[in-house]
Amino acid sequence: MSAAGGTGAPPVALVAGASSGIGAAVARRLAARGSAVALVGRREAELKEVAESIRAAGGTALPLVLDLAEPGGPADAVAMTTAALGQVGLLVCSAGAIRLAAVHETEERHWERQLRVNLTVPFLLAREVLPGMRERGCGWVVNIGSGVGSEVVPGSGGYGVSKHAVHRLTELIHEENRDRGIRAVTVAPGWVSTRLAARPADLGVPEEEVLDAEDIADTVAWLLDRPARMSVGPLIRVEPSASRAAAGDAMTRHLNRSRAEGAGRAAEENR
């Protein structure tokens, strides 16, 4: 695997949001494929656990405890990765923030946080790595989007807006760099069983009908194996087969359930 799907050495990878869920699964898969992987996240203990699992399997991992939403965070992450492992040839943005609410119920700080983490951080990371990729004539930018970014889901708020915008960001990166040997793709999952998502049991959906993080890691690995002559995407949706596990419907039901529980708790407190 090469940075553009050829046959060279595996590229150095930087995975944002690598402490758990999709990011951790993708980081492990990339390391198993031979990439030296920088793991970026805020939760130190979990990040080190992922790094240790990669090293135990014979891979190379560099845990970087950083808040990418802070000023200078993305630039620091790329600089530290380059200094320790070499120039980044594969960027995976999996860090995410979600706060479900109707527009009129959304607090400004929650809106700003979601746009910062879900959209501005991928932009800043891409801006850091693209010049080197363009100079070398190869590279990958993989953003983890969301199926909700392609639908109008009431209550998805800043999350839905930011994921829709990151899909367009990826399209721009793809069009601006496709003739320079660089591939940019958004992998947009539906309902994946992670800590950010609703629990399937709470919504009456069997766990086995919902995607897991390894399904998304499989998709990223498949992308990287496409030949350099092939363009896939720049948006790839990965959905559960069962209609009752559709992400938009699940998100709406989860929000309605949370509202009902909140109203019930308020009624109890006011008695």
Side-chain angles (χ1 to χ4, degrees):
M1 176 189 70
S2 74
T7 58
V12 170
L14 188 160
V15 180
S19 59
S20 64
I22 293 171
V26 170
R28 291 189 180 101
R29 185 63 56 86
L30 297 178
R33 292 164 59 86
S35 286
V37 184
L39 315 171
V40 186
R42 293 184 301 156
R43 299 189 295 272
E44 182 174 5
E46 294 181 29
L47 206 63
K48 288 183 176 179
E49 184 178 337
V50 176
E52 288 169 4
S53 70
I54 288 173
R55 291 167 183 155
T60 300
L62 173 70
L64 299 175
V65 182
L66 292 169
D67 185 348
L68 291 170
E70 290 295 319
D76 288 344
V78 173
M80 295 166 73
T81 301
T82 302
L85 303 177
Q87 291 184 303
V88 177
L90 169 57
L91 171 65
V92 180
C93 296
S94 184
I98 182 169
R99 188 88 176 198
L100 301 182
V103 170
H104 69 282
E105 299 171 327
T106 301
E107 294 184 28
E108 183 176 355
R109 63 191 177 95
H110 295 152
W111 176 270
E112 295 289 355
R113 177 71 181 179
Q114 289 173 101
L115 264 63
R116 179 75 182 177
V117 174
N118 299 340
L119 176 61
T120 302
V121 165
F123 155 69
L124 292 173
L125 286 168
R127 191 178 67 169
E128 290 293 325
V129 302
L130 280 170
M133 291 180 178
R134 289 168 63 89
E135 183 178 337
R136 296 189 301 276
C138 61
W140 277 95
V141 175
V142 179
N143 290 318
I144 304 301
S146 172
V148 173
S150 299
E151 304 172 17
V152 179
V153 180
S156 62
Y159 181 77
V161 171
S162 59
K163 289 299 186 180
H164 181 76
V166 87
H167 294 175
R168 177 53 57 89
L169 171 65
T170 306
E171 290 172 340
L172 283 171
I173 294 171
H174 171 75
E175 289 299 329
E176 291 172 357
N177 296 281
R178 62 187 300 176
D179 292 332
R180 306 296 285 264
I182 299 166
R183 304 290 177 259
V185 182
T186 292
V187 177
W191 191 356
V192 183
S193 183
T194 68
R195 66 174 60 182
L196 285 180
R199 293 184 301 176
D202 289 344
L203 299 180
V205 176
E207 184 80 30
E208 62 271 17
E209 292 187 1
V210 176
L211 302 175
D212 62 30
E214 294 299 330
D215 294 324
I216 311 308
D218 288 344
T219 304
V220 173
W222 177 84
L223 278 172
L224 299 177
D225 282 338
R226 297 312 91 202
R229 67 179 179 275
M230 181 184 295
S231 175
V232 180
L235 174 65
I236 296 178
R237 295 191 63 172
V238 184
E239 300 281 348
S241 298
S243 61
R244 62 181 171 181
D249 179 60
M251 184 171 285
T252 299
R253 284 187 289 145
H254 176 64
L255 181 59
N256 290 338
R257 183 174 183 271
S258 298
R259 284 171 172 162
E261 290 177 350
R265 284 193 295 270
E268 289 291 332
E269 291 168 358
N270 290 332
R271 283 197 300 184

